[in-house]
Every structure is written in structure tokens, then in C-alpha cells.
Amino acid sequence: MMAVLAAATAAGATAATAPIKAPAPAAKATAVAAPSGYHAVLRRTAYGAPHITASNYAGLGYGAGYAAAQDNICDLADRMLTVNAQRARYLGPGDKNANVVSDLYHQRLIQSGRLEQLLNADPKSLERPSADARALVRGFAAGINRYVRDTGVANLPVACKGAAWVRPYSEKDIWRVSLAGQQPNQLAGVAGASPPGGPEPIGAGPIDGGPSNIPPGQGSNAYALGREVTKTGHGVLLGNPHYPWDGINRFTRLHLIIPGKLNIVGAGLENSPVVGIGHNQWVAWSHTVSTARRFGYFELTLDPKDPTAYVFDGKSVPMTRIKVTVQVKTDKGLIPVTRTYYDTRFGPMVKTPLTPWTKERAYALRDAPVNLRGTDQYLAMWQAHTVHELAAALSKYQGATFNTTAVDAGGEAFFGDIGSLPYVTDAKAAACATSPAGKKAWADNRVPVLDGSKSACDWESDPHAATGGIFPASAEPQIFRSDFTENSNDSYWLSNPNQPLSGYGRIFGDEATARSLRTRLGLKMIADRVAGGDGLGAPKFDLKSLEGVVFNDRNLGAEMTRDDLVGLCRKEAAGAHPELAKACAALAGWDLHVNLDSRGAQVFRLFAEKGGLKFRVGFDARDPINTPNTLDTDDPAVLKALVEAVKQLDALHIPLDAPLAAVQSEPRGGERIPIHGGPGPEGIFNVITPAKPVDGGWTKIVHGSSWIMAVEFTDKGPVSQGVLTYSQSTNPASPHFGDQTELYSRKGWDDLRFTEAAVKAGALSTIVLDEKPAKP
């Protein structure tokens, strides 16, 4: 069987390229019939930004689904293929059988019945989505289906044109996407779990559980600027997630309006009808990746007579067996692949190099946030008038899997890591993470690996929490301020240096430890702007100055070390390393930014990547923004990194003094679009993480600034602008495949057009989706 799978060729689809078309001209409203009583008006303004107006949530979902399919139908269909465990059936086994592993994992989720349990939970329970939430999701599925019917599968974009795997979707399909997206990145560990003597893992896949929740290159920045630091005394917000430029976690712009009831604008993930980062009339918010651990393991003591039974409170408990079969496309037709998986009272068994399954020990995975509460949480957040009301919504549902940073029109700022976090105190970990594996995981990574042999080591519960096994919201880090809150993916501790948050358990994050260079730069830029010392005009923030701060493209690591590095470089160039002479000149002439016209940034980039940022002065908790500092030129790693950086640049024919525009770009429609920004670890706030360099430079962006949103509340209401760096559509034939990428390259912004009047005035196209309910 494995030989057959290894030999089979995956039938994956690749996107073609086409020239970028001009923006669509203004058009008269066209009527498109819609089934099942849905009604919505879809207007598109500049850059393809969709604005949906409807009288209820079902209509909003319908319009949002239609717009999402217009922009990204192939991404949507591909995601549906994944969560319904059908990748291998249609696309073949994939590289290293990745599609088979994915399908086994997701089929196990399907057979667990968790989705049905949540949808059919007690109507009084928060676990059961409300009628409005279900209407929104049901409408979203219907809108996608309508677009596909109108267009025809044969006329879809090249990536899914005529594909047999594009089909009608249901409300449950959309919920399944939501549920699958909350799972920890343990796909291979769960799909490959088998007892001693069982089948070998079918293929490789991602395994989480390492030292960080943040995938390399991903993360976010967020500013909530309160009345003490803004020019008008109203709130100002920056939302700046750093998410993938391709794949399932792409953002899409979205504006939802129910006249007289709801007006919410911003962006959300492309496979959802939810504005996840945005603002209403009174409150604006963003999210950043949290350092808190939202999952854990239980170390099982196995029954000596049976490795599929474990000891719990002195009794042998058999694991629940789940037989899973998926179909795999090969050159000989469909081949069934079957595996048996095992569940415990804690969750599924997992098998990785860090969590082996032996005759004596094995590990079960428990994930805190597996729920559908998030949609209702956002519906409540959308109605908030103050940050206190927004925090109350977060606290009620505890559905967030990220930090939340927010500000209101009255100028009060908020930060909170409020969500479903395992109720594992430091005392619980000390008492129950007692094995060598448990102690190491807790000490090194703050991941709880608890003794699964006794009930006393289970996660605690609190009646005030949204569900069992998690901390109540009142015990989770949060702060309200009238000056500001900030987060750039470090822990809650320094959300505001004037009021450090402390005293929380290790599972939430670390305290009184060094912050990243990106966090430190974010805080420095706030101080510089408040003092008016950054060259952006009078002190304090407004919309224009905030946008200037985001796109100033400073590099804190370089600001702290460049001069000392040049000194070392010149010394060595005059002696043992004459090949460094050009690098010395490039670094000396560099403006310490990552603007398109910045020359020499590429030398420092590879120097930092190769471990050259070694500091002489260590961290001091009394001065966390300014320490550590001072390049340790006596450390041999510094010179070694510089020499290796120059060697690699020469080998790749990347000129050491070329402007960044010439060596860093993103392809769109056969063109290369120069991209400013750079990797966060160097101390760059505007994060851009490219793929590994090739001959001539960095030619593809992987992660980085994605949805960038700036909001200022005024006496006349909110004013907001934004840019979706990779553009609204993944369809190479769309006029919105690269237009916002070009806008980002120019450091431009687009008006979000919050009011209905602004939307109508800027509409370039209008589609009316309307039909009376079908007669029974």
C-alpha cells in the first residue's frame, strides 16, 4: 500500500498568471436572483473592497459569501476539500503523503461528532450558536453556492476550473472550517498515533508543541492609543497582523451593514463571514498572536496487559477506538487507507518524537478552545459602545484564540488575553508535571504535560468560566488605560510600561524577561510620537501621524548596532578580511531603514539571520525598553555572521549596496512589485518575511504585514483607512489580484468608507441579490 501511495502523483492545481487589469469602471446596479429568501446588496468600491447591506444576518452572510466566492472561490473550495477529508480522493496522496495524513486527521474529527454535539447543545448553553450566528453562516454558504451556480464550474479561475471537487456547500461545511481552524498544529501527531506494534505513520506533517505559538514570520502589531496620547482626545487604533500572503489564513476586506442596527468594517479570514479586525461607530480593535498555551498533554500510565488501556485513579480504562477510512487517488484508481485511532477522557492520542507511545507511557492531547462560541462573541463585539462592553463580550464567550487590543471613541484603551486557556496553575504544574518529560516541557516551553493517572491532575474548572477546564476571564491578563496599550506578540507583561502586568501563571506567558526588538521599537515609536520627536509633526497621534509611524520602516537592531558593526568591519577589512570592504561601505551609507530606496539593508539582514546580533549589555527588568544593547564585537559570532552574510550575498549575485526595491519583491501577473519592510527579529515593526533568497534577491513574500488598518475617532465619527498588502483576490485574471500590493508598495492607504453615504458615493459596481422565499 505505501509503495502505491509513494508512487502515485498528486493532482494538485497551480495558478497561472495574467497581466493586472485596470480597476473596474463604474457600473449600473444589476439584479441577480437569490434563493431561500436571502436579500443583500453588494457594492464594490476601489480595490474591490466589498460592502454588504442587508436587513438581517442571513442576508449579510449571503452577500459576504457571494463576494468571497467572486474573489477567492478556489481557496474556499480547497479549504472545504481539506476539512471534509477529501484531499487525497481528488488530488492524490501529495508530497510525502501529506494529503493522506490530512484526510485521516480530519476524518477522525468528523467521526468524533464534536461539531454535531455543539450545534445541538442545550439552547441555553453558550456552546450552541445563536440563531443569528447560524443565519450568518448559513447565508455565507448559500452565497458561495449561488456564485458557483451563476458562474459555472467550467468558468471558474484556473486553479479550480472544471474541478470535480468544487461542489455545493452547507452550513455545516462552514462550521467545520471554523472548528478545524482551532485545532493545535498536531496534524501528523494525531494522524500518526498508534500503539506499539501498530502501523508506521503514513507521512510527515507539521508538529507543534515547541517553544512558541507563533509560526516563523507570523505575528502582529497593535496599538490602542487613548485620550492622553492623541491630538483630539478620541481613541486611535492600529491593527497590523502579520499573516501568510498565501493559503488558508489570508485576510479579505469586508464591510457589513444592517441599516439602523449594525455597521462594521475591517477584515476577516477569507473563509469566514466574520469581520475579525475592524471597527464600528464607537469601538475599534485588533488581535495579536498570544504567548499563552491553549492546549496541553496528559501523560498516561498504560495497563501492563494492554497498551490501549490506561490507568486512571487505580483502574484500567480502555481507550475508545475510532476506525477511519479515506480514499486515495492513484494511477490505479481509488485505494482505501484505513487506520484505527484512540481517544481518551482527555482527548485523542498523539505520537511525536516528544510524545512517544511505548508499552509503559503514552500521551493524550487536550485542546481548550474547540468550540463554536467565536461567532457569537464577534456579534456581541460588533455591538459594543465602549471597550468595557467589548471586554465583557470577550469575557462572556471566551472564544478568542488571540490577544485583543482595543480603543473607544471616548479615548479609553484596552488590552486582554481573554479566551479559553487551560486552567493549569503553577501549583498544579508543580504537583502534576512530575515526570522528566513533564518537567522539561513546563520548564522550557510552558506546555503542561500532566499526570493522566489521577483525577486530581485534571484541569481545574470554575463556574464563572464559559466552559469547564479553563480559567475564568477575571483571572486572565487584561488592562484598561487612558494613555495606550501595545502588543507585538510578546506576553502581556509590558502592554504598557507604566503599568506592567504581573502575577499570572506561567501558562499565560513570561514576566520580567527581555522583550523582542520589535516590541521595543513599537514602544519607542509611541514615546517618540507623543513627544513629537519623530519628524511627523506636532506631538501625539492622529490618523496621518499613525500611518507615518507604521510606514517609517525603522530597524531598531541596526540603530543600536550599525556603527559598532561598521567599526569592526573596517578593522577586519584592513586586515584578515579584505573581502568585507564593500560591505563596510554599504553599511556605513545605509539609512537604517527598510524603505524601497534604502541601500545596504540586505547586508544587515543576513548578518542578523546568521546570529550576529550579540549584545554586550544584558537585560535589565528596570529598563526593559532599552536593554539588552551594545553590539559585543568581541564575540566571535559577530564577525563570523558578517563574513558569512557577505559570502552568501556574493554567491547569490545580490549587490551589497543595491536599493531594497531592486532585491525584494512580490510577483503579480508577470510583474515584480517592490516591497518595503523586513523581518521582525532584526527589530523591524513593519514585518515582511520573504522566502529564502535566490539568485538576485528575495522574490516572494511568505508572511508579514497583511491587513493594515488605521482608525481615528472624531467628533463626527470614525475615520479609517487600510490596505490589504497582497490584494483582495487570488484570481490572476481579477483586476484586484495585485492592485493593493502596488498600493502598499507606494505606502498608500484606501478609505474604508464607513458610512453608507460614502459607500454609495464610491461604488464602482453594485449587485442586488434578491428573491422571495420559495413556496412550500
Side-chain angles (χ1 to χ4, degrees):
M1 174 62 68
M2 289 306 299
V4 172
L5 293 179
T9 301
T14 57
T17 57
I20 298 174
K21 296 181 180 179
K28 295 182 179 180
T30 57
V32 179
S36 306
Y38 297 108
H39 172 89
V41 178
L42 165 59
R43 295 182 176 90
R44 297 261 188 184
T45 55
Y47 304 100
H51 309 261
I52 317 299
T53 303
S55 61
N56 53 38
Y57 284 105
L60 285 183
Y62 190 79
Y66 197 92
Q70 283 183 314
D71 294 330
N72 300 300
I73 181 58
C74 295
D75 275 14
L76 291 166
D78 185 83
R79 185 60 177 153
M80 298 299 182
L81 201 62
T82 298
V83 301
N84 283 285
Q86 294 187 326
R87 296 195 68 80
R89 170 187 284 270
Y90 288 100
L91 305 180
D95 183 37
K96 298 181 180 179
N97 294 318
N99 288 340
V100 183
V101 174
S102 173
D103 285 355
L104 288 169
Y105 176 83
H106 287 96
Q107 185 61 34
R108 191 201 69 80
L109 289 180
I110 292 169
Q111 291 181 208
S112 74
R114 177 62 173 163
L115 176 59
E116 289 74 17
Q117 292 172 7
L118 294 171
L119 290 175
N120 297 308
D122 185 332
K124 296 180 180 179
S125 169
L126 294 177
E127 301 294 350
R128 179 168 176 155
S130 68
D132 283 342
R134 295 200 64 166
L136 181 69
V137 170
R138 185 171 61 251
F140 188 71
I144 296 171
N145 293 339
R146 186 51 193 260
Y147 173 77
V148 174
R149 288 197 303 272
D150 286 350
T151 305
V153 175
N155 300 314
L156 295 180
V158 63
C160 58
K161 182 182 181 70
W165 42 271
V166 178
R167 60 171 178 82
Y169 304 111
S170 68
E171 176 193 351
K172 284 180 66 173
D173 287 319
I174 309 302
W175 286 118
R176 208 173 293 287
V177 170
S178 177
L179 199 63
Q182 298 171 17
Q183 302 291 318
N185 199 11
Q186 288 280 0
L187 189 148
V190 172
S194 62
E200 290 298 316
I202 283 180
I207 298 174
D208 197 357
S212 174
N213 284 352
I214 307 171
Q218 293 189 38
S220 307
N221 300 316
Y223 283 174
L225 302 161
R227 52 184 172 271
E228 292 184 18
V229 300
T230 63
K231 294 180 180 180
T232 65
H234 296 295
V236 174
L237 181 117
L238 166 69
N240 178 210
H242 305 149
Y243 256 43
W245 280 36
D246 299 285
I248 65 173
N249 286 323
R250 278 177 54 106
F251 284 99
T252 186
R253 291 176 62 171
L254 186 59
H255 189 179
L256 303 176
I257 301 172
I258 300 177
K261 181 178 180 180
L262 176 72
N263 189 344
I264 191 79
V265 67
L269 295 181
E270 65 181 19
N271 48 39
S272 166
V274 171
V275 175
I277 293 176
H279 72 88
N280 63 15
Q281 180 77 22
W282 311 279
V283 179
W285 76 91
S286 190
H287 294 302
T288 54
V289 176
S290 164
T291 61
R293 302 306 185 208
R294 283 173 160 81
F295 66 96
Y297 302 95
F298 284 88
E299 188 172 15
L300 307 181
T301 300
L302 300 181
D303 187 330
K305 300 178 182 179
D306 183 0
T308 63
Y310 58 101
V311 177
F312 185 75
D313 284 346
K315 297 181 180 179
S316 178
V317 180
M319 299 176 188
T320 301
R321 299 181 183 224
I322 303 176
K323 187 176 182 180
V324 172
T325 298
V326 299
Q327 300 293 326
V328 183
K329 178 182 179 181
T330 73
D331 55 4
K332 297 182 180 180
L334 291 177
I335 302 295
V337 174
T338 299
R339 287 291 184 272
T340 298
Y341 294 111
Y342 299 84
D343 269 12
T344 71
R345 64 181 291 113
F346 306 109
M349 297 298 294
V350 60
K351 184 179 181 180
T352 74
L354 300 177
T355 57
W357 192 337
T358 70
K359 294 180 180 180
E360 296 81 24
R361 292 283 185 273
Y363 297 84
L365 172 69
R366 185 171 178 184
D367 184 20
V370 181
N371 63 77
L372 302 180
R373 299 190 301 271
T375 303
D376 277 304
Q377 174 182 278
Y378 280 108
L379 295 187
M381 291 168 64
W382 294 350
Q383 298 293 339
H385 285 60
T386 67
V387 290
H388 287 275
E389 290 184 6
L390 182 136
L394 291 167
S395 298
K396 176 179 178 179
Y397 292 98
Q398 291 187 272
T401 54
F402 307 99
N403 301 312
T404 302
T405 302
V407 72
D408 59 31
E412 187 160 14
F414 165 78
F415 168 85
D417 190 357
I418 300 177
S420 294
L421 280 70
Y423 200 152
V424 178
T425 63
D426 291 354
K428 171 78 74 171
C432 293
T434 55
S435 71
K439 289 180 178 179
K440 181 174 177 56
W442 186 250
D444 294 351
N445 300 326
R446 299 182 292 101
V447 174
V449 180
L450 307 183
D451 184 349
S453 70
K454 45 192 177 183
S455 55
C457 287
D458 202 351
W459 296 354
E460 302 289 340
S461 288
D462 188 288
H464 299 99
T467 191
I470 66 172
F471 280 97
S474 60
E476 297 176 328
Q478 53 195 286
I479 185 175
F480 295 88
R481 297 283 303 183
S482 57
D483 50 0
F484 69 88
T485 63
E486 191 274 354
N487 187 264
S488 293
N489 305 124
D490 278 313
S491 77
Y492 52 85
W493 176 58
L494 217 62
S495 300
N496 185 300
N498 299 314
Q499 187 183 349
L501 292 170
S502 61
Y504 295 92
R506 294 192 71 245
I507 200 165
F508 292 102
D510 50 19
E511 300 173 2
T513 60
R515 305 291 92 174
S516 72
L517 289 174
R518 178 160 57 92
T519 291
R520 291 165 60 185
L521 178 59
L523 293 170
K524 282 177 175 288
M525 292 194 302
I526 291 175
D528 290 348
R529 176 85 297 272
V530 172
D534 57 5
L536 294 173
K540 299 188 177 182
F541 282 92
D542 58 9
L543 187 72
K544 183 178 180 180
S545 60
L546 174 62
E547 293 173 349
V549 166
V550 177
F551 282 164
N552 66 21
D553 283 328
R554 288 173 60 180
N555 185 318
L556 180 60
E559 291 175 11
M560 296 167 59
T561 65
R562 190 273 305 271
D563 290 350
D564 288 336
L565 181 59
V566 169
L568 174 65
C569 184
R570 287 172 171 165
K571 175 184 174 182
E572 294 296 330
H577 293 284
E579 75 277 14
L580 295 181
K582 291 183 178 179
C584 303
L587 287 168
W590 179 31
D591 64 6
L592 304 179
H593 290 69
V594 282
N595 294 312
L596 292 182
D597 59 356
S598 296
R599 295 176 177 269
Q602 56 269 37
V603 179
F604 192 82
R605 172 177 299 180
L606 288 187
F607 163 75
E609 285 184 6
K610 294 179 184 299
L613 285 177
K614 303 294 184 181
F615 295 110
R616 189 184 305 277
V617 177
F619 172 71
D620 185 343
R622 297 167 298 181
D623 190 14
I625 299 177
N626 297 307
T627 59
N629 60 51
T630 310
L631 186 68
D632 187 358
T633 54
D634 293 331
D635 190 326
V638 176
L639 177 59
K640 180 182 178 181
L642 182 59
V643 170
E644 291 181 351
V646 172
K647 183 178 180 180
Q648 184 177 2
L649 288 168
D650 286 343
L652 293 173
H653 306 102
I654 300 175
L656 278 63
D657 61 350
L660 187 63
V663 298
Q664 179 169 276
S665 61
E666 169 72 5
R668 281 292 185 276
E671 301 178 5
R672 62 173 299 277
I673 301 176
I675 301 296
H676 57 94
E682 296 177 37
I684 297 171
F685 192 75
N686 180 27
V687 171
I688 290 293
T689 305
K692 291 182 179 181
V694 296
D695 194 76
W698 291 264
T699 59
K700 181 73 185 79
I701 308 304
V702 179
H703 304 291
S705 286
S706 45
W707 170 236
I708 311 176
M709 180 183 74
V711 184
E712 180 181 18
F713 291 100
T714 73
D715 290 339
K716 297 181 179 180
V719 178
S720 54
Q721 295 186 330
V723 58
L724 189 63
T725 57
Y726 36 67
S727 301
Q728 183 74 7
S729 178
T730 53
N731 178 7
S734 169
H736 309 301
F737 180 58
D739 53 355
Q740 286 186 81
T741 311
E742 294 175 336
L743 181 67
Y744 169 80
S745 180
R746 302 192 302 268
K747 296 190 176 182
W749 299 78
D750 182 41
D751 187 352
L752 300 195
R753 298 182 179 273
F754 177 71
T755 66
E756 293 182 70
V759 172
K760 292 177 180 178
L764 300 177
S765 67
T766 300
I767 297 177
V768 179
L769 302 159
D770 190 15
E771 184 175 305
K772 295 180 180 179
K775 294 182 179 180

